[in-house]
């Protein structure tokens, strides 16, 4: 825009010179002609009235970057508060709705610390559950409250766990869930397929267990009576066109019709959730999150926790790593420059053979590392090519991720260590007591780690696409089931 204004200003300037006779009749109207034929047109060239500093927008970019960094620094520390608030609100709304369903008309019920009265259904609101506050008589649509609380929780969890754009969020469908089976172990790896949007590039994201729980809850929410996700049409604002019907995840039923979420709906849910938390900014005004704030928070948090910037670039779907580095905040520029210089020096010192395409044997050795991580009481999380620092004493290692199914084995190991310590102290084997106590502390820490996890989880068949071979995809099965 600045360049267009400069060109227009230059053209107007030359037209005025021609109009008032400052230039000859044959003088060029475009200063480029003076560069092509300076001998003829050079004497008629006038300086451009637009200065070079007026074409630069580096100051504007620096100020915008400072504002976005300050915005990220302000919102990243309070993100856990928002997450806990929306999760608790979702649980309370579901508990109140379930209690109201069990209560009869005009019956008083209590749930989530609230005492309400089941109201009689109004005319024209069949199928909806109403309740009244005893002292004020205010009526509440419990079904609507539960729906808003659930979708607010779902939007925030998906945005903060993936860092995707809002248009990519609204285009997530049941077909976006795919899974890849390792050819050697048969282990299934869940993936989330992000359709092309801003950069017109498709990408796959690894689905964490927490994100899988959220996606399974969304699918169970939108499934119809036969277990299928309804097909709905969405409007693409960028293309200004209606999309083909698809089993979108973010949809809801309004007036008997399944409709896709819009960006205005998402922003409204976020604003209402922040009002409920009571969070404020530095000026005392209510704190506001936009969907794109979660993208900046995701990239910043990932880089601050050790994720290399070039990996964050792939996850975020940026074509230029400088764009990714522009999204992050609270990360010193000196560290980035030093890291890049270190990589350049290391690559110059290492032999060029290391930067080649790996052979089949090397690739199989790399895959075999992940197959050998499985141990009797869990999974080892040490990186490829690193030795075991505890000489395979897994119960002591903090890199061991214990398996909840092996809790009895861990209890047995702990009891055995206690008995061995008693025996060593009785027999006077003091040199062995210290090592046994270290192992005992590790076993107890693993048991505490297991206790921190949820006691029970429902297992839901997502019916995701299965990648059996390149170019071959099996159709999803639209059904769900829960384990005991």
């Amino acid at each position: 825009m600045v360049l267009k204004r400069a060109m227009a200003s230059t053209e107007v300037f030359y037209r005025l010179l021609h109009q008032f006779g400052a230039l000859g009749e044959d003088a060029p109207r475009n200063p480029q002609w003076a560069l092509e034929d300076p001998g003829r047109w050079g004497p008629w060239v006038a300086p451009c009235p637009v200065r070079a500093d007026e074409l630069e927008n580096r100051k504007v970019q620096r100020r915008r970057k400072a504002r976005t960094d300050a915005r990220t620094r302000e919102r990243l520390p309070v993100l856990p508060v928002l997450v806990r608030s929306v999760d608790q609100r979702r649980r309370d709304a579901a508990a109140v709705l379930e209690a109201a369903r069990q209560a009869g008309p005009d019956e008083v019920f209590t749930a989530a610390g609230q005492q309400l009265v089941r109201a009689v259904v109004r005319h024209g609101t069949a199928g909806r559950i109403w309740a009244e506050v005893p002292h004020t008589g205010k009526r509440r649509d419990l079904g609507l409250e539960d729906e808003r609380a659930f979708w607010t929780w779902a939007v925030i969890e998906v945005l903060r766990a993936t860092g995707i754009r809002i248009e990519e969020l609204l285009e997530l469908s049941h077909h976006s869930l795919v899974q890849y089976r390792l050819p050697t172990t048969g282990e299934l790896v869940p993936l989330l397929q992000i359709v092309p949007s801003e950069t017109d590039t498709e990408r796959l994201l690894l689905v964490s267990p927490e994100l899988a729980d959220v996606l399974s809850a969304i699918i169970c929410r939108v499934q119809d009576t036969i277990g299928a996700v309804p097909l709905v049409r969405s409007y693409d604002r960028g293309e200004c066109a209606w999309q083909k019907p698809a089993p979108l995840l973010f949809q809801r039923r309004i007036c008997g019709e399944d409709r896709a979420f819009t960006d205005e709906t998402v922003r409204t849910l976020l604003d209402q959730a922040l009002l409920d938390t009571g969070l404020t900014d530095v000026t005392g005004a209510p704190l506001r999150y936009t969907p794109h704030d979660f993208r900046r928070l995701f990239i910043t948090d990932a880089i601050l926790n050790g994720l290399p910037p070039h990996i964050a670039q792939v996850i975020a779907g940026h074509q230029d790593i400088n764009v990714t580095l522009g999204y992050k905040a609270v990360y010193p520029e000196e560290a980035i420059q030093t890291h890049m210089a270190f990589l350049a020096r290391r690559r110059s010192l290492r032999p060029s053979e290391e930067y080649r395409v790996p052979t089949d044997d090397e690739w199989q050795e790399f895959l075999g590392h992940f197959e050998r991580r499985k141990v009797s009481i869990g999974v080892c999380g040490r990186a490829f090519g690193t030795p075991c620092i505890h000489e395979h004493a897994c119960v002591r290692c903090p890199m061991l991720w214990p398996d909840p199914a092996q809790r009895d084995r861990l209890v047995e190991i702990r009891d055995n260590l206690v008995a061995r310590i008693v025996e060593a102290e009785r027999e006077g084997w003091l040199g062995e007591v210290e090592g046994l106590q270290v192992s005992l502390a590790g076993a107890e820490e693993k048991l505490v780690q297991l206790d921190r996890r949820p006691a029970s989880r429902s297992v839901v068949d997502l019916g995701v696409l299965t990648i059996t071979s390149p170019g071959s995809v099996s159709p999803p099965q639209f059904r769900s089931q829960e384990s005991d």
Side-chain angles (χ1 to χ4, degrees), residues 377-378 401-410 449-450 453-455:
I377 55 178
W401 186 255
D403 185 2
Q406 302 298 328
R407 179 182 177 83
D408 294 339
R409 184 186 293 271
L410 275 172
Q449 185 176 352
L450 288 176
R453 302 183 189 177

Side-chain angles (χ1 to χ4, degrees), residues 147 151 221-225 228-234 242 245-261:
E147 180 181 355
W151 287 115
R221 185 88 176 190
V222 300
Q223 282 177 337
D224 54 20
T225 56
V229 177
L231 301 179
V232 297
R233 301 186 65 184
S234 62
W242 286 94
L248 299 180
L249 297 184
F250 285 88
Q251 59 173 283
R252 57 180 179 174
R253 195 165 188 82
I254 301 177
C255 299
E257 180 184 0
D258 295 316
R259 300 182 186 179
F261 274 64

Side-chain angles (χ1 to χ4, degrees), residues 361-371 384:
D361 295 338
E362 293 172 340
W363 184 248
Q364 292 300 327
E365 181 183 358
F366 175 75
L367 294 179
H369 160 75
F370 299 97
E371 299 173 4
F384 172 73

